[in-house]
Amino acid sequence: TGSDMAVHPPGGVEDEDRRPEDASPTEAGGGIMNSGTPTGAAAFSGVPRRHTHSSSTAVSPRLRTRIFAADCLIMVPSLAIKQDKLHGDAVLAASHPGEWLALSAESLVDIGFKLASGDADGLRSRGIKLLSETLGALGASRDPLDQDELLMVQYQAQYVSALRSSLSKGAS
């Protein structure tokens, strides 16, 4: 299992279980020994040390990965509808077993909202694009619980809030 592969500090005590007073002076700050090897929490956190770049235009790998993931998610609604029109019809999808895009609208809207209202400039526009693609793919779909209503009406507040948040952060 994944937990069997975890790196444990000497003495078998997990970092989360260690109290600051239990750490040696070198470990307390998670410092670096003369050899350049991290010690303390830095050695056992499982997170690689971050390297700082002098260029202000450098994008951290984590942000690049998040941008790539957002770009992939943006393609999901149109690709799913192209594969099977049932992905865009919540009423029919609800009566067929399987995973359908129309039944995952809440997740797509939630992710789009979080991206659009976040702090990262590169992700805000992608969040709005994901919300737009989701609305384009599912906008005509009826709500399977109330066929008199459109499916996406229930997400109106998230759309408005995401747009307001994205625009206000983009203006500053």
Side-chain angles (χ1 to χ4, degrees):
T1 64
S3 63
D4 294 334
M5 298 177 69
V7 177
H8 299 285
V13 179
E14 295 290 338
D15 279 342
E16 300 93 66
D17 297 333
R18 291 184 129 181
R19 297 177 304 202
E21 57 270 17
D22 292 341
S24 70
T26 308
E27 289 180 276
I32 305 285
M33 293 184 143
N34 291 339
S35 66
T37 306
T39 62
F44 301 105
S45 67
V47 177
R49 287 183 287 161
R50 292 188 179 214
H51 300 282
T52 57
H53 300 282
S54 59
S55 171
S56 62
T57 60
V59 178
S60 71
R62 182 174 176 191
L63 180 58
R64 281 196 309 262
T65 302
R66 292 172 66 197
I67 288 172
F68 174 73
D71 288 341
C72 291
L73 279 173
I74 289 168
M75 294 186 289
V76 167
S78 61
L79 291 174
I81 300 294
K82 285 179 187 175
Q83 179 193 18
D84 191 336
K85 298 290 183 200
L86 195 57
H87 280 289
D89 189 333
V91 175
L92 288 177
S95 63
H96 287 79
E99 294 181 12
W100 303 103
L101 181 71
L103 302 179
S104 300
E106 181 178 357
S107 295
L108 288 172
V109 171
D110 183 54
I111 293 168
F113 171 79
K114 288 176 181 177
L115 290 172
S117 60
D119 290 332
D121 290 337
L123 293 175
R124 277 198 297 271
S125 62
R126 286 168 173 86
I128 295 298
K129 181 72 173 165
L130 177 58
L131 290 171
S132 175
E133 291 292 319
T134 302
L135 185 60
L138 303 176
S141 183
R142 295 275 169 199
D143 187 337
L145 301 176
D146 182 4
Q147 293 185 21
D148 294 332
E149 291 291 330
L150 293 174
L151 175 67
M152 298 306 287
V153 168
Q154 61 188 311
Y155 304 110
Q156 182 177 357
Q158 287 93 326
Y159 273 80
V160 171
S161 181
L163 285 171
R164 282 185 182 159
S165 177
S166 181
L167 291 174
S168 68
K169 288 180 181 178
S172 56

